[in-house]
Amino acid sequence: MTVPPDLDMRYPHCTVPVFFADGREPAELERAVIRPLAPDRIALVSDANVFARHGYALEALLAQAGHVVATVVLQPGEETKSPEVAAEVAGAFCENGLSRRSLVLALGGGVVGDLAGFVAGIYMRGIRYVQVPTSLLAQVDSAVGGKVGVNLHDAKNMLGLFYQPAAIWVDTRYLATLPEAEYHGAFGEVLKYALTLDATLYERLAALPAVAAVRGDAAFNAELVRRCVARKAEVAAADETERGLRRVLNFGHTAGHALEAAGEYRRFCHGEAVAVGMVVAQELGRRLGCVDAAWAEASIACIRRLLPAPALDGLDAGALLAAMTHDKKWSGSRRCFVFSTGPGRHRIEDDVPAEAVAAALRHVLAADPAASAWV
Ligand SMILES: NC(=O)c1ccc[n+]([C@@H]2O[C@H](COP(=O)([O-])OP(=O)(O)OC[C@H]3O[C@@H](n4cnc5c(N)ncnc54)[C@H](O)[C@@H]3O)[C@@H](O)[C@H]2O)c1
Ligand SMILES: [Zn+2]
């Protein structure tokens, strides 16, 4: 008997079932997701942090059900998302006899999911894979939508594919072991959905005193993840390859990526950078008359409360703008900006004037107490 998924992501060429595991037994991952795929072998790909906490149990569960499992445990961290490690993982698949009937199981955060999905997409011209995201960022964002890839030196996600998983298994119980900073950082993405696509989620977040208040709240996390996945599923299914509506997911990422690059990917974590990027977008929207002043203020206050701004001293608006202009994704998309125009509402504008962007950047940098003496 097949177990129905909680959500079907419908693309023109395939349907991806999503299972929310809260309320289900862990063994259902094997029964409902893996067994029906009838793989001849399974490669369980994870990183050392996640494997130590959750990998052994999953490995044992698969072995008990009679699967032949090869385990590939990677070093945690963004450096792992490289062509070199991808080649090593493909080599391990080969050594363990993975065939076109085999299955890759990606157990981990966005690094593991992006890398394992990428290797699955190119190994023997593509074998099946299942996403089992364990970080909040992977559960609300990276495991959903079919974008997989690796970095090429400093160029993020330069090698990649749109390659959909055979299924996505989202278990918020994994979040119990996620470090606090990782949980908090993912609220950059959570706020992105709330401000542009989900008014109900915005109301819930606007009522929170701080992110720490809900970290251990299993019911809140389950609801949070379900809402974000549902929103991403709608957007990605409507526009798989990011030519139209899916661009809404870049809210806060345009200036956010420039900030990450300016900090050489060490100074700011992704969530902090996206938070500043969302503030820049709302300030820019207000200046361009796309966002009304009261909502710009309310949305910025909510972002600032849940993701306090990092110190921005030493940053230069001109250099950030130059970084954005060099970002092929931004210039290639006709300098498009996404604004939140109300709770759960958005507007996408093309050909945003560079001078207005520079003015909004200057304003946000100057509002930083650590930077005011400098700007
Ligand atoms: N494919 C997409 O659409 C997409 C979207 C957004 C981000 N991304 C990518 O995702 C990556 C970031 O993902 P991430 O934030 O999950 O980073 P990550 O995979 O590095 O995980 C963050 C840290 O948390 C640890 N961890 C994960 N789950 C854990 C758990 N349950 N218990 C204990 N530790 C755990 C990991 O070992 C790691 O140290 C980036 O490479 C980014 O480019 C991809
Ligand atoms: Zn992001």
Side-chain angles (χ1 to χ4, degrees), residues 154 156 255-270 272-273 276 310-316 319-320 323-324 365:
D154 281 345
K156 288 267 294 165
H257 284 153
L259 204 65
E260 282 183 289
E264 296 183 335
Y265 298 96
R266 280 187 294 273
R267 179 166 168 190
F268 307 107
C269 78
H270 182 66
E272 284 177 333
V276 176
L312 299 172
D313 53 298
L315 292 166
D316 170 46
L320 289 176
M324 286 166 62
L365 293 179

Side-chain angles (χ1 to χ4, degrees), residues 3-59:
V3 182
D6 297 292
L7 183 77
D8 270 329
M9 294 184 68
R10 291 182 202 284
Y11 296 97
H13 58 98
C14 71
T15 296
V16 179
V18 182
F19 296 83
F20 293 109
D22 49 290
R24 296 178 186 262
E25 285 174 37
E28 264 196 65
L29 169 57
E30 195 283 320
R31 279 204 303 275
V33 177
I34 294 167
R35 202 178 301 176
L37 297 171
D40 63 349
R41 281 183 163 71
I42 297 175
L44 172 58
V45 182
S46 191
D47 76 17
N49 292 336
V50 175
F51 191 79
R53 291 164 178 86
H54 307 289
Y56 294 106
L58 184 53
E59 204 178 34

Side-chain angles (χ1 to χ4, degrees), residues 9-10 71 82 106 164 224 272 274 286 306 335 363:
M9 294 184 68
R10 291 182 202 284
T71 301
S82 70
Q164 296 297 341
L224 176 77
E272 284 177 333
V274 171
R286 186 185 67 74
L306 296 181
R335 290 189 285 109
H363 178 90

Side-chain angles (χ1 to χ4, degrees), residues 2-372:
T2 55
V3 182
D6 297 292
L7 183 77
D8 270 329
M9 294 184 68
R10 291 182 202 284
Y11 296 97
H13 58 98
C14 71
T15 296
V16 179
V18 182
F19 296 83
F20 293 109
D22 49 290
R24 296 178 186 262
E25 285 174 37
E28 264 196 65
L29 169 57
E30 195 283 320
R31 279 204 303 275
V33 177
I34 294 167
R35 202 178 301 176
L37 297 171
D40 63 349
R41 281 183 163 71
I42 297 175
L44 172 58
V45 182
S46 191
D47 76 17
N49 292 336
V50 175
F51 191 79
R53 291 164 178 86
H54 307 289
Y56 294 106
L58 184 53
E59 204 178 34
L61 194 145
L62 295 171
Q64 260 167 25
H67 295 286
V68 180
V69 183
T71 301
V72 182
V73 180
L74 305 166
Q75 290 250 0
E78 187 69 24
E79 298 74 38
T80 286
K81 242 180 75 171
S82 70
E84 293 76 18
V85 177
E88 283 170 27
V89 172
F93 289 3
C94 228
E95 277 161 30
N96 285 284
L98 261 71
S99 75
R100 290 196 56 84
R101 290 180 44 224
S102 302
L103 180 72
V104 176
L105 209 53
L107 174 74
V111 164
V112 166
D114 281 12
L115 175 89
F118 177 68
V119 180
I122 56 175
Y123 183 77
M124 293 185 161
R125 298 203 176 82
I127 63 173
R128 298 164 301 173
Y129 76 110
V130 169
Q131 289 279 19
V132 185
T134 61
S135 69
L136 182 57
L137 183 129
Q139 296 192 344
V140 298
D141 197 351
S142 65
V144 186
K147 279 204 218 171
V148 293
V150 296
N151 308 323
L152 190 60
H153 311 298
D154 281 345
K156 288 267 294 165
N157 303 317
M158 189 54 107
L159 304 180
L161 307 164
F162 287 100
Y163 189 62
Q164 296 297 341
I168 308 171
W169 175 266
V170 188
D171 190 342
T172 49
R173 287 169 290 202
Y174 288 130
L175 302 180
T177 60
L178 186 69
E180 209 231 313
E182 300 294 341
Y183 181 83
H184 201 154
F187 269 68
E189 314 301 339
V190 169
L191 270 167
K192 167 183 93 176
Y193 292 115
L195 290 168
T196 58
L197 292 166
D198 193 324
T200 306
L201 184 57
Y202 174 76
E203 299 307 333
R204 300 289 306 272
L205 298 180
L208 289 184
V211 170
V214 285
R215 183 167 165 237
D217 185 335
F220 181 92
N221 285 331
E223 167 72 7
L224 176 77
V225 169
R226 276 176 189 256
R227 294 202 79 90
C228 294
V229 171
R231 297 295 83 78
K232 183 148 187 192
E234 287 158 10
V235 167
D239 173 26
E240 188 180 9
T241 53
E242 206 174 318
R243 294 200 165 85
L245 178 64
R246 191 164 176 172
R247 294 180 301 163
V248 70
L249 301 176
N250 287 331
F251 178 54
H253 284 62
T254 316
H257 284 153
L259 204 65
E260 282 183 289
E264 296 183 335
Y265 298 96
R266 280 187 294 273
R267 179 166 168 190
F268 307 107
C269 78
H270 182 66
E272 284 177 333
V274 171
V276 176
M278 291 189 290
V279 170
V280 171
Q282 292 306 83
E283 175 59 27
L284 173 63
R286 186 185 67 74
R287 284 161 183 260
L288 295 174
C290 301
V291 178
D292 82 50
W295 172 244
E297 200 179 310
S299 55
I300 288 173
C302 180
I303 298 163
R304 293 272 195 228
R305 197 179 65 259
L306 296 181
L307 284 166
L312 299 172
D313 53 298
L315 292 166
D316 170 46
L320 289 176
L321 184 64
M324 286 166 62
T325 313
H326 282 126
D327 180 343
K328 276 197 248 27
K329 195 167 171 186
W330 191 54
S331 33
S333 68
R334 298 178 55 207
R335 290 189 285 109
C336 133
F337 246 93
V338 183
F339 308 110
S340 163
T341 51
R345 289 195 284 124
H346 63 268
R347 175 164 164 178
I348 302 177
E349 280 292 306
D350 285 324
D351 302 319
V352 173
E355 187 35 53
V357 179
L361 284 167
R362 277 196 298 272
H363 178 90
V364 172
L365 293 179
D368 174 37
S372 53

